[in-house]
Amino acid sequence: MTYAVQSAGSYTVISLHGEIDLQCSPDTRSVILDRLGSGENVVVDLSGVSYIDSSGVASLVEGLRFAKTRGLRFALVSVSAPAMQVLELARLEKVFPIYAAVDDLDQL
Amino acid sequence: MSTTTGQTAPHPPNAATPPSASVVQVEDLVAEYAGRRILDRLNLHVSQGEILVIMGGSGSGKTTLLRHLLGLKRPSSGRVSVLGVDISRGERSKLYQVRKQIGVAFQGGALFGSLSLIENVELPLREHTNLDNNTIGIMSRMKLELMDLAGFEHLMPSELSGGMVKRAALARAVVMDPKLLFFDEPSAGLDPVVAVELDDLILKLREAMGITVVVVTHELQSAFKIADRIAILDKGQIVVEGTVDEVRNSDNRRVQDLLNRRARDEVLDPDAYLDRLTRNVRH
Protein backbone atom coordinates (compact mmCIF):
# COMPACT_ATOMS: atom_id res chain seq x y z
CA MET A 1 0.00 0.00 0.00
CA THR A 2 1.21 3.52 -0.75
CA TYR A 3 -0.40 6.79 0.14
CA ALA A 4 -0.12 10.45 -0.77
CA VAL A 5 -1.31 13.42 1.24
CA GLN A 6 -2.06 16.79 -0.29
CA SER A 7 -4.15 19.79 0.54
CA ALA A 8 -7.12 20.84 -1.57
CA GLY A 9 -8.76 24.01 -0.31
CA SER A 10 -10.11 23.42 3.16
CA TYR A 11 -9.53 19.65 2.96
CA THR A 12 -6.59 17.32 3.33
CA VAL A 13 -6.80 14.61 0.69
CA ILE A 14 -5.29 11.24 1.57
CA SER A 15 -4.97 9.10 -1.55
CA LEU A 16 -4.55 5.38 -0.88
CA HIS A 17 -3.18 2.99 -3.48
CA GLY A 18 -2.86 -0.77 -3.69
CA GLU A 19 -4.00 -3.39 -1.19
CA ILE A 20 -5.03 -2.42 2.33
CA ASP A 21 -4.96 -5.39 4.64
CA LEU A 22 -4.04 -6.43 8.18
CA GLN A 23 -0.38 -5.65 7.61
CA CYS A 24 -0.73 -2.07 6.41
CA SER A 25 -4.04 -0.91 7.85
CA PRO A 26 -2.30 0.40 11.02
CA ASP A 27 -0.46 2.85 8.73
CA THR A 28 -3.73 3.85 7.10
CA ARG A 29 -5.22 4.41 10.53
CA SER A 30 -2.25 6.47 11.68
CA VAL A 31 -2.20 8.82 8.71
CA ILE A 32 -5.95 9.41 8.95
CA LEU A 33 -6.02 9.97 12.72
CA ASP A 34 -2.88 12.13 12.65
CA ARG A 35 -4.46 14.55 10.20
CA LEU A 36 -7.78 14.62 12.01
CA GLY A 37 -5.90 15.06 15.29
CA SER A 38 -4.33 18.16 13.78
CA GLY A 39 -7.81 19.56 13.24
CA GLU A 40 -7.85 19.00 9.47
CA ASN A 41 -10.92 18.04 7.46
CA VAL A 42 -10.02 14.79 5.72
CA VAL A 43 -11.02 13.30 2.39
CA VAL A 44 -9.83 9.78 1.58
CA ASP A 45 -9.43 9.06 -2.13
CA LEU A 46 -9.95 5.34 -2.73
CA SER A 47 -9.66 5.36 -6.52
CA GLY A 48 -6.35 3.48 -6.40
CA VAL A 49 -7.43 0.82 -3.92
CA SER A 50 -7.49 -2.64 -5.48
CA TYR A 51 -8.36 -4.44 -2.26
CA ILE A 52 -9.40 -3.40 1.23
CA ASP A 53 -10.12 -5.75 4.09
CA SER A 54 -12.08 -5.26 7.29
CA SER A 55 -9.13 -3.77 9.13
CA GLY A 56 -8.79 -1.09 6.43
CA VAL A 57 -12.50 -0.37 6.55
CA ALA A 58 -12.28 -0.21 10.35
CA SER A 59 -9.64 2.52 9.98
CA LEU A 60 -12.07 4.52 7.84
CA VAL A 61 -14.89 3.93 10.33
CA GLU A 62 -12.71 5.10 13.20
CA GLY A 63 -11.73 8.17 11.18
CA LEU A 64 -15.36 9.04 10.59
CA ARG A 65 -16.20 8.63 14.27
CA PHE A 66 -13.20 10.73 15.31
CA ALA A 67 -14.15 13.49 12.86
CA LYS A 68 -17.76 13.59 14.01
CA THR A 69 -16.66 13.77 17.64
CA ARG A 70 -14.36 16.74 16.85
CA GLY A 71 -16.79 18.53 14.52
CA LEU A 72 -14.58 17.90 11.47
CA ARG A 73 -15.50 16.77 7.95
CA PHE A 74 -14.56 13.27 6.79
CA ALA A 75 -15.51 11.88 3.40
CA LEU A 76 -14.58 9.26 0.83
CA VAL A 77 -14.11 10.10 -2.84
CA SER A 78 -13.63 8.14 -6.06
CA VAL A 79 -14.29 4.84 -4.34
CA SER A 80 -13.00 2.00 -6.51
CA ALA A 81 -15.31 -0.90 -7.34
CA PRO A 82 -13.52 -3.43 -5.09
CA ALA A 83 -13.61 -0.99 -2.16
CA MET A 84 -17.28 -0.18 -2.77
CA GLN A 85 -18.15 -3.87 -2.76
CA VAL A 86 -16.63 -4.26 0.70
CA LEU A 87 -18.34 -1.10 1.98
CA GLU A 88 -21.65 -2.41 0.67
CA LEU A 89 -21.11 -5.81 2.27
CA ALA A 90 -20.64 -4.01 5.58
CA ARG A 91 -23.65 -1.75 4.77
CA LEU A 92 -21.43 1.31 5.16
CA GLU A 93 -22.10 2.95 1.81
CA LYS A 94 -24.77 5.12 3.41
CA VAL A 95 -22.79 5.76 6.58
CA PHE A 96 -19.88 7.51 4.89
CA PRO A 97 -20.30 10.72 2.92
CA ILE A 98 -19.17 9.49 -0.50
CA TYR A 99 -18.46 11.74 -3.50
CA ALA A 100 -17.40 11.07 -7.05
CA ALA A 101 -14.54 13.59 -6.86
CA VAL A 102 -12.93 16.07 -4.50
CA ASP A 103 -14.40 18.90 -6.59
CA ASP A 104 -17.88 17.71 -5.58
CA LEU A 105 -17.30 18.60 -1.93
CA ASP A 106 -18.46 21.97 -0.67
CA GLN A 107 -15.53 24.12 0.34
CA LEU A 108 -15.85 25.29 3.92
CA MET B 1 -0.30 22.67 -2.47
CA SER B 2 1.85 20.43 -0.29
CA THR B 3 2.22 16.71 -0.90
CA THR B 4 3.38 13.92 1.38
CA THR B 5 3.77 10.34 0.31
CA GLY B 6 4.32 7.12 2.16
CA GLN B 7 4.67 3.43 1.60
CA THR B 8 4.23 0.48 3.87
CA ALA B 9 6.59 -2.49 3.86
CA PRO B 10 5.98 -4.50 0.70
CA HIS B 11 4.27 -7.82 1.16
CA PRO B 12 2.78 -10.42 -1.13
CA PRO B 13 -0.72 -10.95 0.27
CA ASN B 14 -1.96 -13.02 -2.61
CA ALA B 15 1.37 -14.23 -3.96
CA ALA B 16 0.75 -17.82 -2.99
CA THR B 17 -2.59 -17.96 -4.76
CA PRO B 18 -2.72 -16.21 -8.13
CA PRO B 19 -6.17 -16.10 -9.78
CA SER B 20 -7.53 -19.53 -10.68
CA ALA B 21 -4.71 -21.28 -8.82
CA SER B 22 -5.50 -24.25 -6.62
CA VAL B 23 -6.08 -23.05 -3.09
CA VAL B 24 -6.44 -26.64 -1.93
CA GLN B 25 -4.71 -29.56 -3.60
CA VAL B 26 -5.09 -33.09 -2.28
CA GLU B 27 -3.08 -35.88 -3.93
CA ASP B 28 -3.52 -39.60 -3.26
CA LEU B 29 -4.55 -38.96 0.34
CA VAL B 30 -4.78 -42.07 2.47
CA ALA B 31 -6.02 -41.97 6.06
CA GLU B 32 -6.15 -45.06 8.23
CA TYR B 33 -7.28 -45.48 11.81
CA ALA B 34 -6.72 -48.71 13.70
CA GLY B 35 -5.99 -50.55 10.47
CA ARG B 36 -9.19 -49.31 8.83
CA ARG B 37 -8.84 -47.21 5.68
CA ILE B 38 -11.04 -44.10 5.96
CA LEU B 39 -9.74 -42.15 2.95
CA ASP B 40 -8.50 -44.20 0.01
CA ARG B 41 -6.10 -42.43 -2.40
CA LEU B 42 -8.35 -39.39 -2.53
CA ASN B 43 -7.67 -36.54 -4.98
CA LEU B 44 -9.31 -33.14 -4.79
CA HIS B 45 -8.64 -29.53 -5.71
CA VAL B 46 -10.33 -26.23 -4.92
CA SER B 47 -9.70 -23.17 -7.09
CA GLN B 48 -9.40 -19.62 -5.82
CA GLY B 49 -12.77 -17.92 -5.29
CA GLU B 50 -14.65 -21.18 -5.72
CA ILE B 51 -17.31 -22.65 -3.46
CA LEU B 52 -16.81 -26.40 -3.22
CA VAL B 53 -19.38 -28.46 -1.38
CA ILE B 54 -18.31 -31.84 -0.06
CA MET B 55 -21.22 -34.21 0.46
CA GLY B 56 -21.56 -37.75 1.61
CA GLY B 57 -23.39 -39.98 4.04
CA SER B 58 -22.39 -40.77 7.59
CA GLY B 59 -19.10 -42.63 7.67
CA SER B 60 -18.17 -41.56 4.14
CA GLY B 61 -15.01 -39.81 5.36
CA LYS B 62 -16.18 -36.16 5.27
CA THR B 63 -15.00 -35.30 8.76
CA THR B 64 -11.68 -37.11 8.30
CA LEU B 65 -11.09 -35.24 5.06
CA LEU B 66 -11.85 -31.91 6.75
CA ARG B 67 -9.41 -32.70 9.56
CA HIS B 68 -6.66 -33.35 7.01
CA LEU B 69 -7.46 -30.15 5.12
CA LEU B 70 -7.04 -28.25 8.39
CA GLY B 71 -3.78 -30.01 9.20
CA LEU B 72 -5.30 -31.54 12.33
CA LYS B 73 -4.35 -35.05 11.13
CA ARG B 74 -1.28 -36.27 9.30
CA PRO B 75 -2.00 -38.53 6.33
CA SER B 76 -0.91 -42.14 6.29
CA SER B 77 0.31 -41.29 2.80
CA GLY B 78 -0.34 -38.69 0.14
CA ARG B 79 -0.10 -34.94 0.17
CA VAL B 80 -2.31 -32.03 1.25
CA SER B 81 -1.41 -28.55 0.04
CA VAL B 82 -3.31 -25.49 1.28
CA LEU B 83 -2.66 -21.95 0.01
CA GLY B 84 0.45 -23.24 -1.72
CA VAL B 85 1.92 -24.84 1.40
CA ASP B 86 2.32 -28.58 1.96
CA ILE B 87 0.70 -29.09 5.37
CA SER B 88 0.79 -32.87 5.32
CA ARG B 89 4.26 -33.06 6.91
CA GLY B 90 3.06 -31.48 10.13
CA GLU B 91 5.63 -28.64 10.26
CA ARG B 92 4.22 -26.36 12.94
CA SER B 93 5.57 -23.05 11.62
CA LYS B 94 4.08 -23.71 8.17
CA LEU B 95 0.80 -24.84 9.68
CA TYR B 96 0.60 -21.68 11.78
CA GLN B 97 1.17 -19.41 8.78
CA VAL B 98 -1.51 -21.22 6.79
CA ARG B 99 -4.01 -21.34 9.63
CA LYS B 100 -3.81 -17.56 10.08
CA GLN B 101 -5.24 -17.27 6.58
CA ILE B 102 -7.97 -19.85 7.11
CA GLY B 103 -11.34 -19.44 8.80
CA VAL B 104 -13.16 -22.43 10.22
CA ALA B 105 -16.76 -22.57 11.36
CA PHE B 106 -17.24 -25.84 13.20
CA GLN B 107 -20.54 -27.68 13.23
CA GLY B 108 -21.23 -27.09 16.90
CA GLY B 109 -19.88 -23.55 16.83
CA ALA B 110 -16.95 -24.32 19.16
CA LEU B 111 -17.44 -21.02 20.93
CA PHE B 112 -15.64 -20.52 24.22
CA GLY B 113 -18.31 -20.79 26.90
CA SER B 114 -16.53 -18.48 29.31
CA LEU B 115 -16.26 -15.66 26.75
CA SER B 116 -19.05 -13.37 25.58
CA LEU B 117 -20.10 -13.31 21.93
CA ILE B 118 -17.96 -10.27 21.11
CA GLU B 119 -14.98 -11.70 23.00
CA ASN B 120 -15.28 -14.92 20.98
CA VAL B 121 -15.29 -12.99 17.71
CA GLU B 122 -12.41 -10.73 18.76
CA LEU B 123 -10.24 -13.64 19.90
CA PRO B 124 -8.46 -14.44 16.58
CA LEU B 125 -7.56 -10.78 16.14
CA ARG B 126 -6.17 -10.56 19.67
CA GLU B 127 -4.23 -13.82 19.26
CA HIS B 128 -2.80 -13.28 15.78
CA THR B 129 -2.48 -9.52 15.18
CA ASN B 130 -1.13 -6.42 16.84
CA LEU B 131 -4.07 -4.31 15.79
CA ASP B 132 -5.27 -1.48 17.97
CA ASN B 133 -8.17 -2.18 20.34
CA ASN B 134 -10.39 0.27 18.47
CA THR B 135 -9.72 -1.50 15.16
CA ILE B 136 -10.37 -4.91 16.71
CA GLY B 137 -13.64 -3.69 18.20
CA ILE B 138 -14.86 -2.14 14.95
CA MET B 139 -13.85 -5.19 12.85
CA SER B 140 -15.62 -7.56 15.21
CA ARG B 141 -18.76 -5.46 15.37
CA MET B 142 -18.81 -5.21 11.57
CA LYS B 143 -18.87 -9.00 11.38
CA LEU B 144 -21.59 -9.23 14.05
CA GLU B 145 -23.65 -6.72 12.02
CA LEU B 146 -23.08 -8.81 8.91
CA MET B 147 -24.35 -11.90 10.73
CA ASP B 148 -27.34 -10.00 12.14
CA LEU B 149 -26.01 -10.39 15.68
CA ALA B 150 -25.75 -6.70 16.54
CA GLY B 151 -27.02 -5.98 20.03
CA PHE B 152 -26.20 -9.47 21.30
CA GLU B 153 -22.46 -8.96 21.70
CA HIS B 154 -22.45 -9.30 25.47
CA LEU B 155 -24.49 -12.50 25.60
CA MET B 156 -22.71 -15.70 26.58
CA PRO B 157 -22.77 -18.68 24.18
CA SER B 158 -25.17 -20.55 26.47
CA GLU B 159 -27.68 -17.73 25.96
CA LEU B 160 -27.64 -18.00 22.13
CA SER B 161 -30.06 -19.95 19.95
CA GLY B 162 -28.78 -22.63 17.55
CA GLY B 163 -28.94 -20.26 14.59
CA MET B 164 -27.14 -17.55 16.53
CA VAL B 165 -24.36 -19.95 17.48
CA LYS B 166 -23.86 -20.86 13.79
CA ARG B 167 -23.75 -17.19 12.80
CA ALA B 168 -21.42 -16.38 15.69
CA ALA B 169 -19.09 -19.17 14.58
CA LEU B 170 -19.16 -17.77 11.05
CA ALA B 171 -18.49 -14.23 12.35
CA ARG B 172 -15.43 -15.50 14.23
CA ALA B 173 -14.30 -17.55 11.23
CA VAL B 174 -14.28 -14.53 8.91
CA VAL B 175 -13.19 -11.82 11.34
CA MET B 176 -9.65 -11.87 9.91
CA ASP B 177 -10.92 -11.86 6.31
CA PRO B 178 -9.47 -15.28 5.56
CA LYS B 179 -8.52 -16.35 2.05
CA LEU B 180 -10.09 -19.74 2.68
CA LEU B 181 -13.16 -20.59 4.74
CA PHE B 182 -14.16 -24.07 5.89
CA PHE B 183 -17.74 -24.45 7.03
CA ASP B 184 -18.81 -27.74 8.58
CA GLU B 185 -22.54 -28.45 8.26
CA PRO B 186 -23.77 -24.83 8.14
CA SER B 187 -27.44 -25.78 7.92
CA ALA B 188 -27.56 -28.66 10.40
CA GLY B 189 -30.15 -28.08 13.08
CA LEU B 190 -31.41 -24.81 11.64
CA ASP B 191 -34.91 -23.94 10.52
CA PRO B 192 -35.21 -23.51 6.73
CA VAL B 193 -35.41 -19.71 6.80
CA VAL B 194 -32.24 -19.33 8.87
CA ALA B 195 -30.50 -21.95 6.73
CA VAL B 196 -31.30 -19.99 3.57
CA GLU B 197 -30.02 -16.78 5.18
CA LEU B 198 -26.77 -18.52 6.03
CA ASP B 199 -26.41 -19.74 2.42
CA ASP B 200 -26.95 -16.16 1.21
CA LEU B 201 -24.26 -14.95 3.61
CA ILE B 202 -21.75 -17.46 2.25
CA LEU B 203 -22.48 -16.27 -1.30
CA LYS B 204 -22.16 -12.62 -0.25
CA LEU B 205 -18.82 -13.23 1.45
CA ARG B 206 -17.44 -14.88 -1.64
CA GLU B 207 -18.71 -12.12 -3.89
CA ALA B 208 -17.44 -9.20 -1.83
CA MET B 209 -14.26 -10.66 -0.36
CA GLY B 210 -13.31 -13.24 -2.98
CA ILE B 211 -13.07 -15.88 -0.27
CA THR B 212 -12.62 -19.49 -1.34
CA VAL B 213 -15.13 -21.64 0.53
CA VAL B 214 -15.23 -25.34 1.31
CA VAL B 215 -18.53 -26.46 2.81
CA VAL B 216 -19.16 -29.89 4.23
CA THR B 217 -22.85 -30.68 4.30
CA HIS B 218 -25.48 -33.29 3.68
CA GLU B 219 -28.16 -30.67 2.93
CA LEU B 220 -28.97 -30.96 -0.78
CA GLN B 221 -30.88 -27.71 -1.07
CA SER B 222 -28.02 -25.77 0.46
CA ALA B 223 -25.45 -27.54 -1.74
CA PHE B 224 -27.40 -26.87 -4.94
CA LYS B 225 -27.81 -23.21 -4.03
CA ILE B 226 -24.25 -22.27 -3.13
CA ALA B 227 -21.95 -24.73 -4.88
CA ASP B 228 -19.83 -24.02 -7.91
CA ARG B 229 -18.80 -27.65 -7.70
CA ILE B 230 -19.89 -30.59 -5.60
CA ALA B 231 -17.69 -33.50 -4.60
CA ILE B 232 -19.52 -36.58 -3.37
CA LEU B 233 -17.62 -38.79 -1.01
CA ASP B 234 -18.36 -42.46 -0.49
CA LYS B 235 -16.24 -45.06 1.28
CA GLY B 236 -13.27 -42.73 1.41
CA GLN B 237 -13.24 -41.81 -2.27
CA ILE B 238 -14.69 -39.02 -4.39
CA VAL B 239 -17.22 -40.89 -6.50
CA VAL B 240 -18.52 -37.87 -8.40
CA GLU B 241 -17.13 -34.37 -8.74
CA GLY B 242 -18.66 -31.67 -10.91
CA THR B 243 -21.04 -28.76 -11.25
CA VAL B 244 -24.52 -28.89 -9.73
CA ASP B 245 -25.98 -30.00 -13.08
CA GLU B 246 -23.32 -32.64 -13.59
CA VAL B 247 -24.03 -34.07 -10.14
CA ARG B 248 -27.80 -33.97 -10.66
CA ASN B 249 -27.39 -35.86 -13.93
CA SER B 250 -24.87 -38.35 -12.68
CA ASP B 251 -25.90 -41.98 -13.12
CA ASN B 252 -23.68 -43.09 -10.26
CA ARG B 253 -25.85 -45.24 -8.02
CA ARG B 254 -24.53 -43.78 -4.77
CA VAL B 255 -25.21 -40.27 -6.01
CA GLN B 256 -28.70 -41.17 -7.09
CA ASP B 257 -29.32 -42.75 -3.69
CA LEU B 258 -28.30 -39.48 -2.07
CA LEU B 259 -30.44 -37.38 -4.41
CA ASN B 260 -33.46 -39.65 -4.35
CA ARG B 261 -33.73 -39.61 -0.60
CA ARG B 262 -34.63 -35.94 -0.85
CA ALA B 263 -36.72 -36.46 -3.98
CA ARG B 264 -38.82 -39.02 -2.15
CA ASP B 265 -39.50 -36.48 0.60
CA GLU B 266 -40.44 -33.85 -1.94
CA VAL B 267 -43.16 -36.02 -3.53
CA LEU B 268 -44.59 -37.01 -0.19
CA ASP B 269 -48.13 -38.33 -0.47
CA PRO B 270 -49.89 -37.05 2.67
CA ASP B 271 -52.51 -39.83 2.73
CA ALA B 272 -49.92 -42.57 2.26
CA TYR B 273 -47.75 -40.99 4.90
CA LEU B 274 -50.68 -40.86 7.34
CA ASP B 275 -51.41 -44.50 6.57
CA ARG B 276 -47.82 -45.46 7.38
CA LEU B 277 -47.89 -43.55 10.62
CA THR B 278 -51.20 -44.99 11.77
CA ARG B 279 -50.71 -48.58 10.64
CA ASN B 280 -50.94 -49.87 14.20
CA VAL B 281 -53.81 -47.63 15.29
CA ARG B 282 -57.03 -49.51 16.15
CA HIS B 283 -60.44 -47.95 16.84
Side-chain angles (χ1 to χ4, degrees):
Chain A
M1 189 272 287
T2 59
Y3 65 87
V5 182
Q6 60 186 33
S7 58
S10 49
Y11 295 95
T12 295
V13 181
I14 302 171
S15 302
L16 305 177
H17 297 271
E19 300 189 342
I20 305 169
D21 60 13
L22 284 171
Q23 287 167 288
C24 62
S25 61
D27 295 325
T28 308
R29 176 177 181 268
S30 290
V31 69
I32 290 171
L33 294 183
D34 282 353
R35 295 294 169 159
L36 289 168
S38 301
E40 299 168 34
N41 297 299
V42 167
V43 175
V44 181
D45 184 332
L46 296 174
S47 60
V49 171
S50 55
Y51 172 82
I52 185 167
D53 73 0
S54 305
S55 64
V57 173
S59 301
L60 300 176
V61 170
E62 189 177 1
L64 178 63
R65 166 52 60 198
F66 190 100
K68 282 181 180 283
T69 306
R70 303 289 177 96
L72 298 167
R73 299 277 301 270
F74 184 89
L76 308 180
V77 297
S78 307
V79 180
S80 65
M84 185 56 88
Q85 221 171 9
V86 177
L87 291 176
E88 286 173 352
L89 178 69
R91 295 185 303 168
L92 288 168
E93 78 277 15
K94 290 188 170 61
V95 174
F96 286 105
I98 296 178
Y99 298 89
V102 175
D103 291 345
D104 295 339
L105 276 87
D106 297 329
Q107 289 299 326
L108 300 173
Chain B
M1 177 184 286
S2 66
T3 302
T4 309
T5 59
Q7 181 168 7
T8 58
H11 60 90
N14 295 316
T17 54
S20 301
S22 277
V23 172
V24 175
Q25 187 80 41
V26 178
E27 295 168 15
D28 291 329
L29 175 61
V30 174
E32 292 172 324
Y33 297 136
R36 184 166 160 250
R37 186 164 283 205
I38 311 297
L39 299 177
D40 187 10
R41 297 181 65 85
L42 185 144
N43 291 283
L44 182 72
H45 81 277
V46 188
S47 300
Q48 187 174 359
E50 179 179 44
I51 299 179
L52 176 78
V53 174
I54 299 171
M55 300 188 71
S58 298
S60 60
K62 297 193 303 287
T63 303
T64 301
L65 175 57
L66 186 60
R67 285 178 180 162
H68 281 82
L69 295 179
L70 295 173
L72 298 173
K73 293 282 182 189
R74 288 184 68 175
S76 301
S77 65
R79 184 171 169 272
V80 178
S81 172
V82 176
L83 295 168
V85 177
D86 183 352
I87 62 167
S88 46
R89 304 292 159 238
E91 293 174 47
R92 295 182 69 87
S93 60
K94 283 187 178 178
L95 265 177
Y96 180 72
Q97 286 307 317
V98 169
R99 282 183 183 154
K100 280 205 299 185
Q101 303 177 73
I102 291 177
V104 187
F106 292 101
Q107 185 175 354
L111 301 177
F112 290 96
S114 59
L115 300 180
S116 67
L117 174 52
I118 187 78
E119 288 168 338
N120 265 285
V121 176
E122 288 176 346
L123 192 63
L125 294 168
R126 298 204 181 282
E127 289 289 313
H128 300 299
T129 76
N130 295 315
L131 292 172
D132 179 88
N133 270 340
N134 289 344
T135 305
I136 288 176
I138 292 169
M139 288 174 73
S140 303
R141 282 176 166 77
M142 277 165 46
K143 292 302 191 290
L144 289 181
E145 288 277 349
L146 183 62
M147 304 303 163
D148 202 18
L149 288 170
F152 301 107
E153 55 263 41
H154 297 300
L155 292 185
M156 302 303 284
S158 59
E159 298 172 301
L160 304 177
S161 70
M164 291 166 84
V165 167
K166 293 270 187 193
R167 284 179 281 143
L170 186 54
R172 188 178 62 183
V174 298
V175 75
M176 287 182 54
D177 296 329
K179 292 185 172 68
L180 174 60
L181 171 67
F182 290 101
F183 206 160
D184 190 11
E185 298 285 5
S187 309
L190 299 183
D191 72 58
V193 174
V194 177
V196 166
E197 286 175 356
L198 215 49
D199 289 341
D200 290 339
L201 264 177
I202 293 169
L203 290 169
K204 260 167 61 176
L205 284 169
R206 190 269 295 272
E207 187 184 342
M209 305 297 290
I211 299 178
T212 305
V213 186
V214 176
V215 175
V216 174
T217 186
H218 61 267
E219 296 288 338
L220 279 171
Q221 300 295 346
S222 173
F224 287 165
K225 178 168 182 180
I226 64 176
D228 295 314
R229 279 189 309 127
I230 297 174
I232 295 187
L233 201 56
D234 185 51
K235 295 178 181 169
Q237 293 183 318
I238 304 282
V239 290
V240 168
E241 184 180 352
T243 64
V244 170
D245 283 343
E246 286 168 346
V247 169
R248 276 186 206 269
N249 297 326
S250 167
D251 56 5
N252 181 286
R253 190 176 61 81
R254 291 285 180 185
V255 175
Q256 286 306 317
D257 284 349
L258 195 66
L259 302 186
N260 288 335
R261 275 205 300 275
R262 176 55 60 95
R264 198 164 57 233
D265 289 343
E266 286 171 350
V267 295
L268 177 73
D269 178 335
D271 292 332
Y273 185 42
L274 182 62
D275 287 345
R276 289 200 300 275
L277 292 179
T278 56
R279 200 162 285 163
N280 67 331
V281 172
R282 297 285 179 266
H283 289 292

